[in-house]
Amino acid sequence: MAERIHSGPIDEAAVLAWAYDEDLLFCSQDEDLVLGVHHEHYPLLAKLAKDPACPKSNYCLSIMDFSLMFWVLRGHADAETEIRRTIGHLLGSDRPEVVSFIKVNELRLVLLRGGCVESQERAFELGAAALNGVSRNADISVSDTGSEWVIELSVPPFHRHKEWLTICKVSGRYTFKR
């Protein structure tokens, strides 16, 4: 079938129609960004993500994940509140994708709270949750600078796109750069 682009407002009816119609798009490019900024629709996106009959259930998770990822990485003041709220909407689902989403976002909450990050394994776990989440599958590496962990995301196949998360071992404070 031919893809169609939604031309009206992005309201609950439009999101429901989009979720169950594989050929309906909100825009031809960066559709996930268009929906991701509408946090008022996260309760509905979460409901759709929990529905195994919804053809875009995993995409709903990905949309929320990508937006929350950058709220954390860019230090948005409401990141912790929004992550907790989103997790709350997803509780009760046993879909493996939803369980994975919740685990990733619980690790993002740990990163937001800060605190000592003593091991390279823990730095890797936090970095993978923060930089990849459930939306991306890029290569992650960790290096030890003495006082900090530097987690690098490198996108195959050419590894031209890179991102870095630097975490202080003692305080857990972090910085992000591209």
Side-chain angles (χ1 to χ4, degrees):
M1 290 198 167
E3 293 179 338
R4 300 174 326 282
I5 297 178
H6 174 76
S7 60
I10 299 176
D11 57 16
E12 185 172 329
V15 173
L16 281 169
W18 163 85
Y20 290 98
D21 184 342
E22 293 187 61
D23 296 322
L24 184 60
L25 305 172
F26 278 111
C27 64
S28 60
Q29 185 177 356
D30 296 329
E31 178 181 56
D32 56 338
L33 300 178
V34 169
L35 283 171
V37 300
H38 289 278
H39 286 243
E40 70 273 14
H41 293 308
Y42 279 27
L44 178 56
L45 289 174
K47 181 179 177 182
L48 294 165
K50 295 189 310 186
D51 180 2
C54 177
K56 294 181 182 172
S57 60
N58 289 342
Y59 192 27
C60 291
L61 282 174
S62 179
I63 289 167
M64 293 183 293
D65 181 65
F66 197 73
S67 177
L68 293 174
M69 172 192 311
F70 282 101
W71 273 39
V72 170
L73 293 173
R74 294 182 176 138
H76 192 288
D78 294 327
E80 184 173 350
T81 301
E82 193 62 34
I83 289 172
R84 289 186 187 287
R85 185 178 301 133
T86 304
I87 288 172
H89 297 310
L90 291 163
L91 292 175
S93 175
D94 60 356
R95 286 191 66 231
E97 298 85 357
V98 172
V99 171
S100 177
F101 177 94
I102 291 171
K103 287 180 182 175
V104 159
N105 281 284
E106 287 172 342
L107 286 167
R108 289 176 177 162
L109 290 172
V110 169
L111 184 64
L112 285 168
R113 282 192 296 269
C116 184
V117 181
E118 293 179 353
S119 73
Q120 185 170 354
E121 293 77 20
R122 185 62 165 173
F124 180 87
E125 183 180 39
L126 293 171
L131 294 168
N132 266 338
V134 299
S135 304
R136 304 197 280 186
N137 189 22
D139 296 339
I140 299 284
S141 63
V142 179
S143 58
D144 183 345
T145 68
S147 62
E148 298 175 321
W149 299 108
V150 178
I151 299 97
E152 180 182 275
L153 173 137
S154 181
V155 180
F158 303 113
H159 300 280
R160 290 184 184 130
H161 177 81
K162 295 182 184 264
E163 297 175 1
W164 296 268
L165 183 69
T166 303
I167 304 173
C168 175
K169 289 180 180 181
V170 175
S171 70
R173 286 191 202 110
Y174 66 92
T175 58
F176 168 71
K177 70 176 185 173
R178 289 182 140 173

